Structures are given as structure tokens and as C-alpha cells.
Amino acid sequence: MKKNFVLLLIFVLATITIAEMIGFQSIPLGPVTIGLLPLVYAILLTMILGFQVFRKGIWKKVYSERNVNFAGKYLIFIMLPLMARYGADVAPQIREILQVGWVFIIQELGNLGTVIIGLPIAIMLGLRREAIGATLGIGREGELAYISEKYTLESKEGRGVLSIYIIGTLFGAIFFSVFAPLLLDFGFRVEALAMASGVGSGSMMSAASATLVARVPEMESTILAYASASQLITSFIGTFTMVFLAAPLQKLMYKRLVRSDNK
């Protein structure tokens, strides 16, 4: 057990070192420039080495079930310093944030998009109760906790939210690190994109805000402050939005969509 744990730590340090050596890279695609963070390379590397074909010998020990469960269970402790950083980034820009505070509140209504847009698409694709877990939100810790308490993770709803949680963990940061600078090239204001970075996922927010900072370094303090404030508000108000707005709306839509589908 101790040997496998030591291998896991060595693997993590080696992955971080390789990713940082590659560093931030800009890839021009016509008029659009996509920025890729070291975080993206770290995720891609660990994903590739986690494929079954590579899980032999030492890699089999690194990706043992015990190590995977340990990493998932204690991920929150790694995120705690990031949460503290949110507060440190918000404080210097608090006056500016308070001036546009109502925008942060209204932004929470965007969390209903997963229900309004995602649920009908999921039903069309053939999902049923799995769609309830998959479209309640972006499938992070809040949605995971709500679905597990209400339906259990062994239920169809639980399988739905777990699927989105895994997909978000694997591809969320990669998507956000590409999508944020892409929208910047299409003319969106950097403040709006920074605000939109706080979707309730620390890794996604970090990926989006870091690529924006790399593209507009002179606005680093504003970008980090807006992204951090948005993340904090989403983590707090987003829970109430999910329970009192998203869940009832989803229940109503699901009944009507499934009923009409069965006619």
C-alpha cells in the first residue's frame, strides 16, 4: 500500500513537472488563437496513461483502485488553497465587484440552461431517468450531493450525474481553456468572460481565467477578481438555484416531455 502511494506521489510530481516544462502554448487557427495551459497537458497525460492498454507493470500500480479512490476522496483538500486564493483575489477589487453585483446574481439564472436546453436534448437522445441527474447542473459536487441524497448514486439518476461528473473532470478544463479565448477573439468583453468562468468548478474556472490572463495580461487583477467572485457566488447561491428553481423546473419538464414522447 505504502509503495503504491509513493508511486502515485512520484507520478503526480513528474506529471506536473512535464506540464510546467511545456508551459503555456498559443495555437493560431486562422483569425483565432487558442491558448493551452499546463493544466491541459497534465490532464491529457494522465488520461492517456490511464487507458487500459498502458495499465501494465508500474502503471497498473499507479492507477490501482486504491490510489484512484484515494485521489478522488481527498481532492477537496487540494482545492482548499484555491478557495483561499479566491478570497484574496476578490478583496482588492471588492468596490468594482459590488458596482456590478446584480450582474453576478442574474448570471445564476444561466444555471437553468442545463435544464431548459440539456433536458430536451437528453430525452431526444433516448435518456430517461438518467437525464435527471445528467442535466440538473454541470455535474459538480453540489449536483452530485443532491442527487446522491435524493436518489442514491446506484439509481439511474445517480448514474446520470456520475457520468457528467466524470466527463467534466476529464474534459471540462480542456474545453474551458479553449473556449474562453475563442470567445475573446469573437469580440466578447474580457470582463464578461471572466465572470462566466465561475461556473461552480474550480478546475474549469482556473483554466478559463488563466487563459484569459495569458491573452490579456494587463487585466490580470480584474480577470481573477471577477472569476473568483463569480465562483464564490455560484458555489453559494447556485445551491439554492438548483434546489428551488432548477429541480422543480426539471421535474415539470421531464413529466411533460416523457408524456409527449410516449404518445
Side-chain angles (χ1 to χ4, degrees):
M1 177 182 173
K2 291 183 178 179
K3 185 177 180 181
N4 287 354
F5 181 70
V6 171
L7 286 173
L8 176 63
L9 291 179
I10 294 173
F11 173 69
V12 169
L13 291 173
T15 303
I16 294 172
T17 301
I18 294 171
E20 289 294 335
M21 287 176 64
I22 297 174
F24 179 84
Q25 299 292 329
S26 297
I27 302 177
L29 296 175
V32 177
T33 300
I34 297 175
L36 297 179
L37 291 169
L39 174 64
V40 175
Y41 309 127
I43 292 174
L44 287 174
L45 182 60
T46 51
M47 281 174 55
I48 293 171
L49 293 176
F51 289 157
Q52 195 65 40
V53 66
F54 294 111
R55 293 174 67 172
K56 300 175 182 178
I58 190 172
W59 297 122
K60 188 175 182 179
K61 295 179 180 180
V62 170
Y63 284 90
S64 66
E65 184 177 353
R66 185 186 296 273
N67 279 348
V68 171
N69 291 335
F70 173 85
K73 182 179 180 180
Y74 293 102
L75 179 64
I76 184 63
F77 292 104
I78 300 174
M79 302 302 292
L80 288 176
L82 181 62
M83 299 295 181
R85 172 68 186 272
Y86 292 164
D89 288 334
V90 170
Q93 305 290 331
I94 190 66
R95 288 188 178 181
E96 185 179 353
I97 290 170
L98 289 175
Q99 289 177 356
V100 293
W102 63 272
V103 179
F104 287 100
I105 303 297
I106 293 177
Q107 178 193 337
E108 284 305 309
L109 296 178
N111 289 337
L112 299 178
T114 56
V115 175
I116 297 172
I117 300 173
L119 184 61
I121 295 175
I123 299 297
M124 287 173 57
L125 292 174
L127 297 179
R128 287 298 178 263
R129 286 171 51 197
E130 295 87 352
I132 294 176
T135 63
L136 183 59
I138 64 169
R140 304 322 295 161
E141 285 74 12
E143 290 80 14
L144 198 67
Y146 179 85
I147 293 295
S148 65
E149 287 293 323
K150 189 173 179 62
Y151 301 101
T152 76
L153 293 180
E154 288 73 32
S155 65
K156 292 183 178 180
E157 293 85 353
R159 289 199 294 270
V161 72
L162 274 175
S163 299
I164 297 300
Y165 184 83
I166 293 171
I167 290 172
T169 301
L170 294 177
F171 301 107
I174 298 174
F175 175 82
F176 269 72
S177 67
V178 173
F179 198 57
L182 190 66
L183 292 179
L184 186 64
D185 286 324
F186 277 105
F188 283 79
R189 290 186 58 179
V190 68
E191 295 91 342
L193 293 176
M195 196 180 300
S197 299
V199 294
S201 167
S203 60
M204 296 179 194
M205 188 280 289
S206 298
S209 58
T211 51
L212 290 173
V213 168
R215 291 288 303 277
V216 193
E218 65 274 13
M219 295 188 65
E220 178 178 2
S221 60
T222 299
I223 292 170
L224 294 179
Y226 274 51
S228 300
S230 179
Q231 179 74 6
L232 287 172
I233 293 172
T234 298
S235 300
F236 177 68
I237 300 180
T239 301
F240 297 96
T241 303
M242 174 184 65
V243 174
F244 296 109
L245 290 178
L249 176 63
Q250 185 188 58
K251 184 177 181 180
L252 177 64
M253 288 181 61
Y254 181 81
K255 286 182 177 179
R256 295 193 175 185
L257 287 169
V258 172
R259 187 188 309 157
S260 62
D261 188 54
N262 291 331
K263 289 182 178 179

